[in-house]
Amino acid sequence: MNEIYDWKDIESKMMETKESLFNFIYRMTFDREVAEDIFQETWLRVVRNLEKYNPAIPFKIWLFEIAKNICRDYARKLERRRKGLELLEIRGTTSEKDFLPQEEERLKVCLKKLPIKYREVIHFRFFEELEYEEIGKILNIPSGTVKSRVNRGLKKLRKIWRETK
Amino acid sequence: MNHKRAKKILFEYLSGTLKGKEKSYFELHISECKECRNELEELKNILSELKRKPSFSIDGKAFEKTRYVVYKTLEEKRISHEKVSPFIVPLLLLCFITFIFFNFLFYNVLLEIFGESTLFIFYAFLIYQFSGIIFFFVSLINKFRGGLENGKNSV
């Protein structure tokens, strides 16, 4: 992004990344309306902070870092209202219009129960197929920590998977 | 390879980071241990579910709304930037002239009233001013760029 106020540049980046960004946000929140709000907020923060963008870092990494921060803020807010909201989610009364095949629904339920720090690394590793170093840049952690989080995340996911049988 | 070790490195084997002799020992253990084999199969099933990548698309209207809001924000930012930037150069010029004038005055006052022996005060004050100016510009640069690599300036 050489011309920081270039709308065409930003628009093309929005088109390029919209699917992967929305998928990431959705897998962190599992609420379509919330995901759409966070998607918008992410891009607003990008535009408001264009001067802070360092071109040495790939734009996608910066974008996902912003989205990750907003998702974590949302998860923290949710944690404060956790018990009541979890009950609502299990009963399916949140605004969820997506209907999935049974196994995908099971995976969705399992990912929802996974702590956000494991969900993040599993998403980037298995859905975005990023390398450990790239994931480390997004999350601001060493690649060794990413590897161990992936392993621990999979262990936890397996445990939750067994419990949802 | 013992059972405990094999269970520990199961995930490394699946994620493809296990290499060399340890990988061979693990594969040998798997061929002999039913429990570890079953665990491996279970994990492979989970991973294959993950890899099928169920995908969700953003609603067209929601995306268009975001596009519009982002465009408006960018336009407002560009307009306010254009309003401010013509004043920056004259303002900097004014600051520079004031700086020169003030120091010239200070130098002459010190020289006339207190004599040459007190000129060291002037030089010390000049160094102090330059340090302040350098510090100001370095802080300004750091504010926009310095912490980004370490994520300290994350937004």
PDB file of all heavy atoms in Angstrom, chain B residues 21-46:
ATOM      1  N   LYS B  21      15.187 -40.841  13.036  1.00  0.00           N
ATOM      2  CA  LYS B  21      15.107 -42.098  13.795  1.00  0.00           C
ATOM      3  C   LYS B  21      13.858 -42.134  14.659  1.00  0.00           C
ATOM      4  O   LYS B  21      13.212 -43.174  14.784  1.00  0.00           O
ATOM      5  CB  LYS B  21      16.340 -42.247  14.697  1.00  0.00           C
ATOM      6  CG  LYS B  21      17.546 -42.799  13.989  1.00  0.00           C
ATOM      7  CD  LYS B  21      18.699 -43.023  14.954  1.00  0.00           C
ATOM      8  CE  LYS B  21      19.894 -43.519  14.174  1.00  0.00           C
ATOM      9  NZ  LYS B  21      21.122 -43.525  14.975  1.00  0.00           N
ATOM     10  N   GLU B  22      13.518 -40.997  15.247  1.00  0.00           N
ATOM     11  CA  GLU B  22      12.364 -40.981  16.147  1.00  0.00           C
ATOM     12  C   GLU B  22      11.089 -41.353  15.386  1.00  0.00           C
ATOM     13  O   GLU B  22      10.222 -42.055  15.901  1.00  0.00           O
ATOM     14  CB  GLU B  22      12.215 -39.609  16.807  1.00  0.00           C
ATOM     15  CG  GLU B  22      11.554 -39.794  18.127  1.00  0.00           C
ATOM     16  CD  GLU B  22      11.629 -38.707  19.124  1.00  0.00           C
ATOM     17  OE1 GLU B  22      11.718 -37.545  18.709  1.00  0.00           O
ATOM     18  OE2 GLU B  22      11.549 -39.027  20.315  1.00  0.00           O
ATOM     19  N   LYS B  23      10.993 -40.901  14.175  1.00  0.00           N
ATOM     20  CA  LYS B  23       9.845 -41.232  13.332  1.00  0.00           C
ATOM     21  C   LYS B  23       9.804 -42.747  13.076  1.00  0.00           C
ATOM     22  O   LYS B  23       8.746 -43.377  13.165  1.00  0.00           O
ATOM     23  CB  LYS B  23       9.937 -40.460  12.026  1.00  0.00           C
ATOM     24  CG  LYS B  23       8.694 -40.606  11.158  1.00  0.00           C
ATOM     25  CD  LYS B  23       8.829 -39.817   9.867  1.00  0.00           C
ATOM     26  CE  LYS B  23       7.638 -40.127   8.971  1.00  0.00           C
ATOM     27  NZ  LYS B  23       7.810 -39.582   7.635  1.00  0.00           N
ATOM     28  N   SER B  24      10.957 -43.310  12.761  1.00  0.00           N
ATOM     29  CA  SER B  24      11.012 -44.757  12.490  1.00  0.00           C
ATOM     30  C   SER B  24      10.627 -45.549  13.738  1.00  0.00           C
ATOM     31  O   SER B  24       9.882 -46.535  13.653  1.00  0.00           O
ATOM     32  CB  SER B  24      12.416 -45.196  12.062  1.00  0.00           C
ATOM     33  OG  SER B  24      12.935 -44.325  11.117  1.00  0.00           O
ATOM     34  N   TYR B  25      11.157 -45.095  14.896  1.00  0.00           N
ATOM     35  CA  TYR B  25      10.835 -45.822  16.147  1.00  0.00           C
ATOM     36  C   TYR B  25       9.345 -45.729  16.437  1.00  0.00           C
ATOM     37  O   TYR B  25       8.717 -46.681  16.901  1.00  0.00           O
ATOM     38  CB  TYR B  25      11.627 -45.251  17.342  1.00  0.00           C
ATOM     39  CG  TYR B  25      13.110 -45.504  17.295  1.00  0.00           C
ATOM     40  CD1 TYR B  25      14.016 -44.567  17.796  1.00  0.00           C
ATOM     41  CD2 TYR B  25      13.629 -46.678  16.731  1.00  0.00           C
ATOM     42  CE1 TYR B  25      15.377 -44.792  17.752  1.00  0.00           C
ATOM     43  CE2 TYR B  25      15.000 -46.903  16.681  1.00  0.00           C
ATOM     44  CZ  TYR B  25      15.872 -45.956  17.190  1.00  0.00           C
ATOM     45  OH  TYR B  25      17.227 -46.168  17.143  1.00  0.00           O
ATOM     46  N   PHE B  26       8.803 -44.568  16.174  1.00  0.00           N
ATOM     47  CA  PHE B  26       7.370 -44.361  16.414  1.00  0.00           C
ATOM     48  C   PHE B  26       6.544 -45.286  15.521  1.00  0.00           C
ATOM     49  O   PHE B  26       5.600 -45.937  15.975  1.00  0.00           O
ATOM     50  CB  PHE B  26       7.005 -42.893  16.172  1.00  0.00           C
ATOM     51  CG  PHE B  26       5.537 -42.618  16.354  1.00  0.00           C
ATOM     52  CD1 PHE B  26       4.991 -42.448  17.615  1.00  0.00           C
ATOM     53  CD2 PHE B  26       4.682 -42.557  15.259  1.00  0.00           C
ATOM     54  CE1 PHE B  26       3.633 -42.211  17.788  1.00  0.00           C
ATOM     55  CE2 PHE B  26       3.332 -42.320  15.417  1.00  0.00           C
ATOM     56  CZ  PHE B  26       2.800 -42.153  16.684  1.00  0.00           C
ATOM     57  N   GLU B  27       6.906 -45.338  14.249  1.00  0.00           N
ATOM     58  CA  GLU B  27       6.164 -46.182  13.300  1.00  0.00           C
ATOM     59  C   GLU B  27       6.263 -47.654  13.683  1.00  0.00           C
ATOM     60  O   GLU B  27       5.306 -48.422  13.536  1.00  0.00           O
ATOM     61  CB  GLU B  27       6.662 -45.929  11.881  1.00  0.00           C
ATOM     62  CG  GLU B  27       6.142 -44.604  11.336  1.00  0.00           C
ATOM     63  CD  GLU B  27       6.786 -44.177  10.039  1.00  0.00           C
ATOM     64  OE1 GLU B  27       7.857 -44.727   9.672  1.00  0.00           O
ATOM     65  OE2 GLU B  27       6.228 -43.282   9.382  1.00  0.00           O
ATOM     66  N   LEU B  28       7.422 -48.022  14.215  1.00  0.00           N
ATOM     67  CA  LEU B  28       7.587 -49.406  14.673  1.00  0.00           C
ATOM     68  C   LEU B  28       6.674 -49.680  15.869  1.00  0.00           C
ATOM     69  O   LEU B  28       6.004 -50.715  15.932  1.00  0.00           O
ATOM     70  CB  LEU B  28       9.066 -49.643  15.063  1.00  0.00           C
ATOM     71  CG  LEU B  28       9.440 -51.058  15.513  1.00  0.00           C
ATOM     72  CD1 LEU B  28       9.234 -52.058  14.362  1.00  0.00           C
ATOM     73  CD2 LEU B  28      10.886 -51.126  15.986  1.00  0.00           C
ATOM     74  N   HIS B  29       6.629 -48.730  16.786  1.00  0.00           N
ATOM     75  CA  HIS B  29       5.774 -48.881  17.970  1.00  0.00           C
ATOM     76  C   HIS B  29       4.306 -48.986  17.573  1.00  0.00           C
ATOM     77  O   HIS B  29       3.561 -49.824  18.080  1.00  0.00           O
ATOM     78  CB  HIS B  29       5.990 -47.694  18.921  1.00  0.00           C
ATOM     79  CG  HIS B  29       5.074 -47.728  20.114  1.00  0.00           C
ATOM     80  ND1 HIS B  29       5.390 -48.430  21.271  1.00  0.00           N
ATOM     81  CD2 HIS B  29       3.854 -47.173  20.324  1.00  0.00           C
ATOM     82  CE1 HIS B  29       4.400 -48.293  22.133  1.00  0.00           C
ATOM     83  NE2 HIS B  29       3.458 -47.545  21.592  1.00  0.00           N
ATOM     84  N   ILE B  30       3.901 -48.145  16.633  1.00  0.00           N
ATOM     85  CA  ILE B  30       2.513 -48.130  16.148  1.00  0.00           C
ATOM     86  C   ILE B  30       2.123 -49.482  15.554  1.00  0.00           C
ATOM     87  O   ILE B  30       1.002 -49.967  15.733  1.00  0.00           O
ATOM     88  CB  ILE B  30       2.342 -47.013  15.085  1.00  0.00           C
ATOM     89  CG1 ILE B  30       2.296 -45.658  15.748  1.00  0.00           C
ATOM     90  CG2 ILE B  30       1.117 -47.212  14.227  1.00  0.00           C
ATOM     91  CD1 ILE B  30       1.022 -45.395  16.520  1.00  0.00           C
ATOM     92  N   SER B  31       3.066 -50.080  14.866  1.00  0.00           N
ATOM     93  CA  SER B  31       2.765 -51.363  14.217  1.00  0.00           C
ATOM     94  C   SER B  31       2.524 -52.463  15.250  1.00  0.00           C
ATOM     95  O   SER B  31       1.869 -53.469  14.963  1.00  0.00           O
ATOM     96  CB  SER B  31       3.903 -51.768  13.268  1.00  0.00           C
ATOM     97  OG  SER B  31       5.071 -52.013  14.020  1.00  0.00           O
ATOM     98  N   GLU B  32       3.025 -52.216  16.491  1.00  0.00           N
ATOM     99  CA  GLU B  32       2.907 -53.259  17.526  1.00  0.00           C
ATOM    100  C   GLU B  32       1.868 -52.928  18.602  1.00  0.00           C
ATOM    101  O   GLU B  32       1.418 -53.825  19.305  1.00  0.00           O
ATOM    102  CB  GLU B  32       4.274 -53.469  18.211  1.00  0.00           C
ATOM    103  CG  GLU B  32       5.328 -54.030  17.282  1.00  0.00           C
ATOM    104  CD  GLU B  32       6.753 -53.836  17.824  1.00  0.00           C
ATOM    105  OE1 GLU B  32       6.920 -53.192  18.889  1.00  0.00           O
ATOM    106  OE2 GLU B  32       7.683 -54.313  17.156  1.00  0.00           O
ATOM    107  N   CYS B  33       1.509 -51.638  18.722  1.00  0.00           N
ATOM    108  CA  CYS B  33       0.638 -51.241  19.837  1.00  0.00           C
ATOM    109  C   CYS B  33      -0.743 -50.865  19.330  1.00  0.00           C
ATOM    110  O   CYS B  33      -0.901 -49.840  18.639  1.00  0.00           O
ATOM    111  CB  CYS B  33       1.286 -50.067  20.589  1.00  0.00           C
ATOM    112  SG  CYS B  33       0.242 -49.409  21.888  1.00  0.00           S
ATOM    113  N   LYS B  34      -1.752 -51.646  19.699  1.00  0.00           N
ATOM    114  CA  LYS B  34      -3.118 -51.417  19.204  1.00  0.00           C
ATOM    115  C   LYS B  34      -3.678 -50.101  19.755  1.00  0.00           C
ATOM    116  O   LYS B  34      -4.365 -49.356  19.038  1.00  0.00           O
ATOM    117  CB  LYS B  34      -4.005 -52.598  19.610  1.00  0.00           C
ATOM    118  CG  LYS B  34      -5.355 -52.581  18.916  1.00  0.00           C
ATOM    119  CD  LYS B  34      -6.230 -53.751  19.322  1.00  0.00           C
ATOM    120  CE  LYS B  34      -7.578 -53.635  18.600  1.00  0.00           C
ATOM    121  NZ  LYS B  34      -8.519 -54.681  19.051  1.00  0.00           N
ATOM    122  N   GLU B  35      -3.404 -49.837  21.024  1.00  0.00           N
ATOM    123  CA  GLU B  35      -3.957 -48.640  21.677  1.00  0.00           C
ATOM    124  C   GLU B  35      -3.492 -47.374  20.955  1.00  0.00           C
ATOM    125  O   GLU B  35      -4.298 -46.491  20.617  1.00  0.00           O
ATOM    126  CB  GLU B  35      -3.517 -48.608  23.144  1.00  0.00           C
ATOM    127  CG  GLU B  35      -4.209 -47.490  23.927  1.00  0.00           C
ATOM    128  CD  GLU B  35      -3.641 -47.350  25.327  1.00  0.00           C
ATOM    129  OE1 GLU B  35      -3.129 -48.353  25.883  1.00  0.00           O
ATOM    130  OE2 GLU B  35      -3.697 -46.236  25.872  1.00  0.00           O
ATOM    131  N   CYS B  36      -2.189 -47.314  20.700  1.00  0.00           N
ATOM    132  CA  CYS B  36      -1.638 -46.134  20.009  1.00  0.00           C
ATOM    133  C   CYS B  36      -2.162 -46.043  18.582  1.00  0.00           C
ATOM    134  O   CYS B  36      -2.424 -44.956  18.066  1.00  0.00           O
ATOM    135  CB  CYS B  36      -0.104 -46.180  20.011  1.00  0.00           C
ATOM    136  SG  CYS B  36       0.589 -45.784  21.629  1.00  0.00           S
ATOM    137  N   ARG B  37      -2.345 -47.211  17.969  1.00  0.00           N
ATOM    138  CA  ARG B  37      -2.875 -47.241  16.592  1.00  0.00           C
ATOM    139  C   ARG B  37      -4.284 -46.659  16.549  1.00  0.00           C
ATOM    140  O   ARG B  37      -4.631 -45.877  15.677  1.00  0.00           O
ATOM    141  CB  ARG B  37      -2.886 -48.687  16.075  1.00  0.00           C
ATOM    142  CG  ARG B  37      -2.193 -48.817  14.737  1.00  0.00           C
ATOM    143  CD  ARG B  37      -2.182 -50.165  14.092  1.00  0.00           C
ATOM    144  NE  ARG B  37      -2.831 -51.255  14.698  1.00  0.00           N
ATOM    145  CZ  ARG B  37      -2.211 -52.209  15.398  1.00  0.00           C
ATOM    146  NH1 ARG B  37      -0.912 -52.139  15.595  1.00  0.00           N
ATOM    147  NH2 ARG B  37      -2.890 -53.209  15.916  1.00  0.00           N
ATOM    148  N   ASN B  38      -5.100 -47.051  17.544  1.00  0.00           N
ATOM    149  CA  ASN B  38      -6.481 -46.543  17.601  1.00  0.00           C
ATOM    150  C   ASN B  38      -6.512 -45.038  17.834  1.00  0.00           C
ATOM    151  O   ASN B  38      -7.320 -44.321  17.238  1.00  0.00           O
ATOM    152  CB  ASN B  38      -7.270 -47.255  18.714  1.00  0.00           C
ATOM    153  CG  ASN B  38      -7.588 -48.692  18.338  1.00  0.00           C
ATOM    154  OD1 ASN B  38      -7.545 -49.070  17.166  1.00  0.00           O
ATOM    155  ND2 ASN B  38      -7.902 -49.510  19.330  1.00  0.00           N
ATOM    156  N   GLU B  39      -5.627 -44.604  18.711  1.00  0.00           N
ATOM    157  CA  GLU B  39      -5.558 -43.158  18.987  1.00  0.00           C
ATOM    158  C   GLU B  39      -5.162 -42.399  17.733  1.00  0.00           C
ATOM    159  O   GLU B  39      -5.715 -41.330  17.429  1.00  0.00           O
ATOM    160  CB  GLU B  39      -4.523 -42.880  20.080  1.00  0.00           C
ATOM    161  CG  GLU B  39      -5.090 -43.090  21.453  1.00  0.00           C
ATOM    162  CD  GLU B  39      -4.411 -42.244  22.522  1.00  0.00           C
ATOM    163  OE1 GLU B  39      -4.009 -41.100  22.233  1.00  0.00           O
ATOM    164  OE2 GLU B  39      -4.294 -42.752  23.645  1.00  0.00           O
ATOM    165  N   LEU B  40      -4.228 -42.966  17.013  1.00  0.00           N
ATOM    166  CA  LEU B  40      -3.757 -42.329  15.777  1.00  0.00           C
ATOM    167  C   LEU B  40      -4.893 -42.236  14.769  1.00  0.00           C
ATOM    168  O   LEU B  40      -5.098 -41.198  14.132  1.00  0.00           O
ATOM    169  CB  LEU B  40      -2.585 -43.121  15.204  1.00  0.00           C
ATOM    170  CG  LEU B  40      -1.866 -42.495  14.005  1.00  0.00           C
ATOM    171  CD1 LEU B  40      -1.154 -41.216  14.416  1.00  0.00           C
ATOM    172  CD2 LEU B  40      -0.867 -43.473  13.416  1.00  0.00           C
ATOM    173  N   GLU B  41      -5.663 -43.300  14.662  1.00  0.00           N
ATOM    174  CA  GLU B  41      -6.800 -43.312  13.731  1.00  0.00           C
ATOM    175  C   GLU B  41      -7.839 -42.261  14.101  1.00  0.00           C
ATOM    176  O   GLU B  41      -8.369 -41.556  13.242  1.00  0.00           O
ATOM    177  CB  GLU B  41      -7.474 -44.700  13.741  1.00  0.00           C
ATOM    178  CG  GLU B  41      -6.869 -45.703  12.772  1.00  0.00           C
ATOM    179  CD  GLU B  41      -6.572 -45.127  11.406  1.00  0.00           C
ATOM    180  OE1 GLU B  41      -7.504 -44.641  10.734  1.00  0.00           O
ATOM    181  OE2 GLU B  41      -5.384 -45.137  11.006  1.00  0.00           O
ATOM    182  N   GLU B  42      -8.076 -42.176  15.403  1.00  0.00           N
ATOM    183  CA  GLU B  42      -9.058 -41.196  15.896  1.00  0.00           C
ATOM    184  C   GLU B  42      -8.617 -39.778  15.547  1.00  0.00           C
ATOM    185  O   GLU B  42      -9.406 -38.969  15.068  1.00  0.00           O
ATOM    186  CB  GLU B  42      -9.204 -41.350  17.408  1.00  0.00           C
ATOM    187  CG  GLU B  42     -10.341 -40.503  17.985  1.00  0.00           C
ATOM    188  CD  GLU B  42     -10.381 -40.589  19.496  1.00  0.00           C
ATOM    189  OE1 GLU B  42      -9.317 -40.804  20.112  1.00  0.00           O
ATOM    190  OE2 GLU B  42     -11.470 -40.425  20.049  1.00  0.00           O
ATOM    191  N   LEU B  43      -7.357 -39.513  15.777  1.00  0.00           N
ATOM    192  CA  LEU B  43      -6.827 -38.183  15.472  1.00  0.00           C
ATOM    193  C   LEU B  43      -6.860 -37.916  13.977  1.00  0.00           C
ATOM    194  O   LEU B  43      -7.147 -36.799  13.546  1.00  0.00           O
ATOM    195  CB  LEU B  43      -5.391 -38.050  15.989  1.00  0.00           C
ATOM    196  CG  LEU B  43      -5.310 -37.702  17.461  1.00  0.00           C
ATOM    197  CD1 LEU B  43      -3.903 -37.914  17.969  1.00  0.00           C
ATOM    198  CD2 LEU B  43      -5.728 -36.260  17.702  1.00  0.00           C
ATOM    199  N   LYS B  44      -6.579 -38.930  13.197  1.00  0.00           N
ATOM    200  CA  LYS B  44      -6.620 -38.754  11.739  1.00  0.00           C
ATOM    201  C   LYS B  44      -8.030 -38.394  11.299  1.00  0.00           C
ATOM    202  O   LYS B  44      -8.220 -37.564  10.407  1.00  0.00           O
ATOM    203  CB  LYS B  44      -6.154 -40.030  11.033  1.00  0.00           C
ATOM    204  CG  LYS B  44      -4.655 -40.157  10.948  1.00  0.00           C
ATOM    205  CD  LYS B  44      -4.246 -41.395  10.156  1.00  0.00           C
ATOM    206  CE  LYS B  44      -2.745 -41.481  10.055  1.00  0.00           C
ATOM    207  NZ  LYS B  44      -2.299 -42.726   9.428  1.00  0.00           N
ATOM    208  N   ASN B  45      -9.043 -38.992  11.963  1.00  0.00           N
ATOM    209  CA  ASN B  45     -10.435 -38.661  11.626  1.00  0.00           C
ATOM    210  C   ASN B  45     -10.745 -37.204  11.942  1.00  0.00           C
ATOM    211  O   ASN B  45     -11.383 -36.511  11.156  1.00  0.00           O
ATOM    212  CB  ASN B  45     -11.425 -39.555  12.399  1.00  0.00           C
ATOM    213  CG  ASN B  45     -11.451 -40.964  11.851  1.00  0.00           C
ATOM    214  OD1 ASN B  45     -11.093 -41.186  10.696  1.00  0.00           O
ATOM    215  ND2 ASN B  45     -11.857 -41.906  12.672  1.00  0.00           N
ATOM    216  N   ILE B  46     -10.269 -36.772  13.109  1.00  0.00           N
ATOM    217  CA  ILE B  46     -10.505 -35.378  13.507  1.00  0.00           C
ATOM    218  C   ILE B  46      -9.826 -34.442  12.510  1.00  0.00           C
ATOM    219  O   ILE B  46     -10.418 -33.472  12.042  1.00  0.00           O
ATOM    220  CB  ILE B  46      -9.987 -35.095  14.933  1.00  0.00           C
ATOM    221  CG1 ILE B  46     -10.793 -35.915  15.957  1.00  0.00           C
ATOM    222  CG2 ILE B  46     -10.082 -33.611  15.263  1.00  0.00           C
ATOM    223  CD1 ILE B  46     -10.238 -35.854  17.365  1.00  0.00           C
TER     224      ILE B  46
END
